Amino acid sequence: MCGDENERHGVLLMSWRDLIPKTAISQETMEALGPVLMGQRLFTRGKYIEAEAMYCQALEQFPPKSAGSVLIYNKLGILYEKMGDSRRALDSYEKGVKAGALTPFTYQRLCCLHLEANRLPQALGCARQGIKVLKKARTNLPQEIYFWFIFQRLKRKIIRRMPPSQRA
């Protein structure tokens, strides 16, 4: 095989470990994340009500506009989507945005939920916000490129559905 063992067909292969920030996490933060991790385990087992309770408990451990609260709002959004409760999912993601979300995931999910509900101007706004947040997000280049293409694709899809009078 030609090339590096981390390369196949000219494409750099990445482990999921490469996507995790290489920063130290304090003991205090790990303790605060305990309910989040337990909530994730419950979610994985399909125990959604119990997972929701753990996420809500974890939310009390973090300041309102912290990265921890944004993480939990995303977890709640995913949970509510899985439960089929789009309204609560939308509310959770919107709370994440108000808390200062810098993750493109939040905006991508908001965009999709608005699109599914045929709220096209709101969906387009979320796609545009998602593109803007990429500049500030803590993503690496492959992640940034991935989300840039996702948002561009969503924008095209939304604009095709919009009446000509709303396309601005």
Side-chain angles (χ1 to χ4, degrees):
M1 180 161 109
C2 296
D4 187 318
E5 66 181 33
N6 293 327
E7 191 175 318
R8 183 174 298 147
H9 307 295
V11 176
L12 183 65
L13 300 178
M14 295 175 55
S15 163
W16 64 270
R17 287 185 176 93
D18 295 331
L19 302 176
I20 298 173
K22 308 290 188 270
T23 57
I25 298 174
S26 71
Q27 182 63 33
E28 182 181 322
T29 302
M30 285 305 294
E31 287 173 15
L33 285 172
V36 178
L37 300 173
M38 177 58 78
Q40 186 61 44
R41 275 184 244 142
L42 291 164
F43 175 84
T44 302
R45 293 184 190 137
K47 297 182 177 187
Y48 302 135
I49 302 301
E50 295 91 341
E52 178 186 26
M54 293 307 294
Y55 292 148
C56 290
Q57 178 186 339
L59 200 50
E60 295 170 8
Q61 304 296 316
F62 291 94
K65 292 190 175 195
S66 67
S69 65
V70 171
L71 167 75
I72 297 164
Y73 287 129
N74 280 339
K75 295 275 186 195
L76 285 166
I78 294 165
L79 172 82
Y80 294 139
E81 282 191 76
K82 186 75 171 174
M83 294 170 68
D85 193 340
S86 297
R87 182 71 241 157
R88 288 177 76 192
L90 193 66
D91 288 343
S92 291
Y93 294 128
E94 286 174 348
K95 286 177 183 175
V97 167
K98 287 177 185 164
L102 291 178
T103 171
F105 173 82
T106 306
Y107 296 92
Q108 185 254 341
R109 293 311 312 143
L110 273 170
C111 181
C112 289
L113 288 168
H114 282 303
L115 183 59
E116 288 169 13
N118 210 32
R119 291 187 292 268
L120 303 178
Q122 293 91 330
L124 186 58
C126 290
R128 288 179 175 153
Q129 278 184 287
I131 292 168
K132 286 180 186 174
V133 85
L134 284 174
K135 294 176 180 126
K136 300 175 190 170
R138 295 182 186 135
T139 55
N140 59 33
L141 186 60
Q143 291 169 328
E144 188 173 334
I145 292 168
Y146 169 79
F147 275 106
W148 186 86
F149 278 107
I150 294 290
F151 287 125
Q152 294 300 330
R153 184 173 173 223
L154 282 167
K155 277 178 49 181
R156 282 192 302 276
K157 188 175 187 178
I158 294 162
I159 290 169
R160 275 194 308 261
R161 287 190 187 179
M162 292 179 105
S165 63
Q166 288 184 340
R167 295 178 190 173

